């Protein structure tokens, strides 16, 4: 998901939607979410990403953003990092309700249920804004039809950065469409740089067995367990190596297997 730059003025682009921001919420000085109107004819599968940009510049910069809302939502939700001096996020972090955001028309991605073969447990591994595609997937009833248990693990630097995930889980419990599945979902928030109940990187916690001892969950069983991974490039590399160590095989849309990897990474 390498970010691309568009060299054409938005007025001349017919592959772009211009949408209105409906809500912005800042969680920390590094993280914020925004919601915007959804074009009527825009379809996507939960877990996919789109290219997002702003209209003001002569040559708008587009960056890949995982859609955090589920396919059935009337609006689109995104969870973003703010990078000081970042070509897009420096400006995007200042948006307010009523502002316009550009979105390319095609959604794509590998963090989709179609890219996994059937299994019993699904592990969703995220760091930072990597939780965004999983925010979409855990609000899609299909995930609970396909898997008996969903284990969402998010690692962030500090407790405040877990705010979006905690809010998501709380709202999910009360959601009329998916609330009934909440007991199939296990959320395991971790921090690495601030003291919290679960500390350390997910790779160390799983490989050492500490995670399984702590949660009482059975160790990874390659026949029944599936994994989706989303975070920074270094995290993706290390988690993919861990998944292979557990005997899982990487899948894709056209060749489903037992784990999939993607980055929701902007600069
Ligand atoms: P750490 O604090 O040890 O760097 P970031 O905000 O920089 O994207 O990091 C989000 C979280 O991901 C942090 O808790 C960070 O831990 C963790 N992290 C960074 N790199 C890796 C990696 N290669 N494998 C697992 N976790 C990682």
């Amino acid at each position: 998901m390498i970010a691309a730059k568009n060299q054409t003025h938005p007025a001349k682009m017919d592959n772009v939607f211009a949408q209105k921001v409906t809500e912005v919420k800042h969680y920390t000085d590094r993280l914020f979410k925004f919601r915007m109107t959804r074009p009527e004819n825009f379809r996507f599968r939960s877990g996919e990403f789109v290219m997002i940009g702003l209209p003001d510049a002569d040559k708008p910069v587009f960056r890949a953003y995982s859609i955090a809302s589920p396919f059935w939502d009337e609006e689109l939700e995104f969870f973003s990092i703010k990078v000081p001096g970042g070509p897009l996020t420096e400006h995007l972090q200042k948006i307010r309700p009523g502002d316009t955001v550009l979105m390319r028309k095609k959604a794509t991605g590998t963090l989709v249920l179609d890219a996994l073969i059937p299994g019993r447990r699904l592990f969703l591994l995220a760091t930072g804004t990597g939780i965004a595609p999983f925010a979409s997937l855990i609000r899609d009833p299909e995930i609970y039809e396909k898997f008996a248990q969903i284990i969402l693990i998010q690692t962030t630097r500090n407790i405040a950065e877990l705010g979006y995930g905690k809010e998501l889980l709380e709202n999910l419990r009360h959601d009329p469409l998916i609330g009934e599945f909440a007991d199939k979902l296990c959320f395991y928030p971790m921090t690495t740089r601030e003291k919290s109940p679960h500390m350390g990187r997910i790779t160390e916690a799983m490989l050492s067995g500490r995670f399984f001892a702590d949660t009482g969950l059975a160790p990874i069983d390659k026949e029944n367990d599936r994994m989706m991974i989303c975070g920074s490039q270094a995290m993706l590399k290390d988690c993919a190596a861990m998944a292979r160590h557990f005997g899982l095989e990487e899948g894709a849309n056209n060749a489903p297997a037992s784990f999939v990897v993607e980055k929701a990474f902007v600069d």
Side-chain angles (χ1 to χ4, degrees), residues 1-28:
M1 192 161 49
I2 302 301
K5 287 187 179 178
N6 192 303
Q7 301 300 321
T8 319
H9 191 277
K12 296 176 194 152
M13 291 190 282
D14 56 8
N15 63 339
V16 166
F17 293 116
Q19 298 307 123
K20 287 272 174 261
V21 176
T22 57
E23 185 190 337
V24 182
K25 180 167 177 180
H26 293 265
Y27 293 87
T28 69

Side-chain angles (χ1 to χ4, degrees), residues 35-40 42-48 67-77 113 133-145 168 171-181:
R35 291 177 66 87
M36 64 187 204
T37 54
R38 173 176 176 168
E40 247 174 50
F42 175 67
R43 297 277 172 274
F44 69 101
R45 292 178 297 172
S46 300
E48 287 188 319
I67 303 169
S69 43
F71 77 92
W72 50 262
D73 201 327
E74 283 175 11
E75 293 185 338
L76 297 172
E77 180 176 310
L113 294 172
F134 304 144
S136 174
L137 281 158
I138 64 171
R139 289 186 276 185
D140 184 338
E142 190 186 348
I143 202 170
Y144 303 100
E145 284 157 20
L168 174 73
N171 290 339
L172 190 140
R173 265 177 250 288
H174 303 115
D175 190 293
L177 187 63
I178 39 166
E180 62 175 297
F181 303 117

Side-chain angles (χ1 to χ4, degrees), residues 121-264:
R121 297 191 300 183
L122 175 60
F123 287 81
L124 305 174
L125 272 47
T127 53
T129 54
I131 196 172
F134 304 144
S136 174
L137 281 158
I138 64 171
R139 289 186 276 185
D140 184 338
E142 190 186 348
I143 202 170
Y144 303 100
E145 284 157 20
K146 289 199 159 166
F147 292 93
Q149 191 175 26
I150 317 294
I151 301 109
L152 170 63
I153 304 162
Q154 186 192 18
T155 314
T156 57
R157 296 181 186 186
N158 56 48
I159 293 170
E161 291 184 342
L162 292 169
Y164 176 79
K166 286 183 179 167
E167 184 181 274
L168 174 73
L169 269 284
E170 193 49 38
N171 290 339
L172 190 140
R173 265 177 250 288
H174 303 115
D175 190 293
L177 187 63
I178 39 166
E180 62 175 297
F181 303 117
D183 55 353
K184 288 182 130 190
L185 178 64
C186 160
F187 181 46
Y188 192 80
M190 306 178 73
T191 56
T192 49
R193 303 189 193 184
E194 183 181 4
K195 201 167 178 325
S196 75
H198 312 302
M199 289 205 62
R201 288 186 171 191
I202 185 54
T203 36
E204 179 277 318
M206 282 190 136
L207 288 167
S208 68
R210 187 164 62 86
F211 167 81
F212 301 101
D214 186 33
T215 55
L217 291 169
I220 300 290
D221 153 24
K222 65 179 182 182
E223 302 304 329
N224 295 305
D225 289 334
R226 307 291 170 250
M227 204 175 269
M228 289 182 163
I229 305 167
C230 193
S232 64
Q233 273 167 311
M235 177 272 196
L236 294 177
K237 189 166 159 281
D238 291 351
C239 288
M242 176 176 75
R244 286 192 193 93
H245 167 83
F246 286 135
L248 304 181
E249 286 171 24
E250 186 165 0
N253 274 278
N254 56 359
S258 46
F259 84 92
V260 279
V261 167
E262 189 153 88
K263 53 183 174 175

